Amino acid sequence: MNANNQLQQNVQFALFWEPYLEHTTIGVTAQNGIVTLSGTVDSYEKKIEIEKVVKRVRGVKALVEHLEVHHGITPESDEDLAIKALAAIQLNTSIPENDIKIVVAKGWVYLIGAVDWNYQKMAAQHAVSRIIGVKGVVNSLLIHSVTTDAIEQNAIQNALKRSSLLRNKTIQVAVDDNVVTLTGHVDSYLQKEEAERITWNAPGIWRIINHIEIQHP
């Protein structure tokens, strides 16, 4: 079995192993570490979970996702989805609701504006992605931290070293004003995302450029 077929099979087994994906048919192709998914799911939240499962599979370097959300219910109007999205944002006290604008078009929710922290950006996305009837979320929120503290390069590097998931991985951190660039090598897509997640915890970051490469031993 060649490497492409092996990766395809590994992804298929990983999806099959998840009980909440029972009765869900997902097409999987693999080519040089790039995995493409196709098919339909009954919720946007499930679509996100499928992506997480695939990213954990060893050998996946990139993911192309063509999954469509078909809820199997009478579609809600964009107006109703907008009301629910606004309520979901307002219920989460960690999200600065006054800094976020919501646009809904054909079942897709667009988040526009700026927040101080990446966790607020991700909290907003998570809040609206759980709404039944949402077909997709485009998170265009910018990170514009108001902190005047300089980004501590050594603090970021030490935080990366403390991660058990990134043990024995050498990741370089470069800081240019409010932009952090990550370089180095890891073994999986999941490790690459973990390095970025940890880096976002540093105050003052507006943008992260993740140039970490995935190399499998």
Side-chain angles (χ1 to χ4, degrees), residues 38 69 102 146 161 176 185 188 209:
S38 59
V69 179
I102 298 172
V146 296
K161 291 177 181 177
D176 183 11
H185 300 89
S188 69
I209 301 173

Side-chain angles (χ1 to χ4, degrees), residues 172-191:
Q172 291 79 38
V173 179
V175 176
D176 183 11
D177 290 331
N178 298 94
V179 179
V180 174
T181 300
L182 302 176
T183 56
H185 300 89
V186 294
D187 298 334
S188 69
Y189 203 135
L190 186 65
Q191 289 177 332

